[in-house]
Amino acid sequence: MSTAEHTRGPKLRKADGSTIRVLVVDDEPGLTDLLSMALRYEGWEVRTASDGQQALRTAREFRPDAIVLDIMLPDIDGLQVLQRVRADGHETPVLFLTAKDSLDDRIAGLTAGGDDYVTKPFSLEEVVARLRGLIRRSTLSVADSSDPRITIGDLTLDEDSYEVFRGDDQIELTATEFELLRFLMRNPRRVLSKAQILDRVWSYDFGGRSSVVEIYISYLRKKIDAGRDPMIHTVRGAGYMLKTPK
């Protein structure tokens, strides 16, 4: 795909231009998979660990620029992991991820040297946004483009103004429709399953049925594709794909 066909919004990179590295530590494989997917969509390199000892080994080898760290791990807990990371001399920003939501737990995590705290269930978009904030504040990063627009063919989405255009026509979308379209446009020519779309657009804790995806895809098609060459396609038995018309 040419750069003219697909232009992404600002991508966060380290000040030296290299890719940001994130370590995700959690003993729930499904959760680490979801987080890894979301972070890789940001253009970041991701490693995962399922327990504290593995997290420490990976942190020493991988030298991440940020860590997403569950407090409840099967061997040593996340607070001990963080203490050992800090003892190694690493000031890596840490986002605690845990089911514990009492004030005492939050204070313990932040007192141990954590930089932020998100409780389960959570929104993947929130985790990504908080990580971007931590990485920016760590002075490690720059945005490699000032252009907030994603463009595929004659379809343009502006992540700053929340405006969408198909050719010269402005298209009014609801907040959910906008997030769905952004997800599709960030992954052109890639088949996205209903489960992936639910997890990304309606968040990790969404308990609804996949029929909501069909409904919102239908809404988008009426606004994006009506009277034009279609860009949103159904891949039978697999999911949905957005691509430029032939």
Side-chain angles (χ1 to χ4, degrees):
M1 174 172 299
S2 68
T3 54
E5 184 178 355
H6 177 219
T7 304
R8 288 189 53 152
K11 184 167 65 174
L12 212 57
R13 301 181 71 87
K14 290 197 287 186
D16 63 4
S18 59
T19 301
I20 288 170
R21 299 186 299 268
V22 181
L23 172 60
V24 177
V25 185
D26 197 290
D27 61 347
E28 298 179 50
L31 183 52
T32 55
D33 287 348
L34 285 175
L35 283 168
S36 297
M37 177 185 71
L39 300 182
R40 289 187 178 113
Y41 289 149
E42 296 298 310
W44 302 343
E45 185 179 353
V46 182
R47 297 273 184 90
T48 63
S50 58
D51 60 49
Q53 295 294 349
Q54 184 184 12
L56 290 170
R57 290 193 301 270
T58 305
R60 288 164 184 153
E61 172 198 346
F62 185 46
R63 299 184 69 84
D65 302 305
I67 301 175
V68 180
L69 181 59
D70 189 19
I71 287 184
M72 298 298 293
L73 296 170
D75 49 1
I76 59 175
D77 65 32
L79 298 178
Q80 295 179 66
V81 171
L82 176 57
Q83 289 167 357
R84 295 187 193 184
V85 167
R86 294 287 186 254
D88 286 342
H90 302 309
E91 295 301 320
T92 309
V94 171
L95 173 68
F96 273 123
L97 188 69
T98 178
K100 294 185 173 182
D101 59 0
S102 74
L103 179 59
D104 288 344
D105 289 322
R106 297 183 187 214
I107 291 173
L110 298 176
T111 302
D115 298 277
D116 205 348
Y117 197 109
V118 176
T119 59
K120 301 176 185 177
F122 57 84
S123 161
L124 289 173
E125 292 285 356
E126 179 186 10
V127 172
V128 170
R130 291 194 183 216
L131 277 175
R132 287 178 69 93
L134 289 180
I135 292 166
R136 286 181 190 274
R137 290 196 295 273
S138 73
T139 70
L140 284 169
S141 64
V142 294
D144 68 359
S145 170
S146 60
D147 190 350
R149 293 172 298 175
I150 306 172
T151 300
I152 301 173
D154 65 349
L155 180 63
T156 301
L157 179 147
D158 190 310
E159 295 185 300
D160 284 352
S161 67
Y162 274 61
E163 292 177 320
V164 175
F165 288 86
R166 181 86 192 261
D168 295 328
D169 298 327
Q170 185 169 359
I171 299 168
E172 297 295 333
L173 300 179
T174 67
T176 300
E177 290 166 352
F178 183 90
E179 290 302 326
L180 175 56
L181 181 61
R182 174 158 60 179
F183 187 39
L184 292 170
M185 292 182 69
R186 281 183 171 180
N187 297 277
R189 302 189 66 84
R190 174 181 290 178
V191 177
L192 301 172
S193 69
K194 291 179 183 178
Q196 287 176 309
I197 294 171
L198 279 173
D199 291 326
R200 181 66 167 176
V201 178
W202 279 270
S203 84
Y204 172 71
D205 60 324
F206 181 77
R209 297 175 297 177
S210 61
S211 60
V212 71
V213 177
E214 299 171 13
I215 293 169
Y216 273 85
I217 287 288
S218 174
Y219 292 162
L220 269 188
R221 279 181 167 143
K222 290 176 182 177
K223 294 183 177 183
I224 300 295
D225 288 343
R228 306 177 178 95
D229 291 333
M231 296 185 69
I232 301 171
H233 301 269
T234 300
V235 181
R236 190 179 298 275
Y240 302 96
M241 176 196 300
L242 186 142
K243 62 181 180 179
T244 54
K246 295 182 178 179

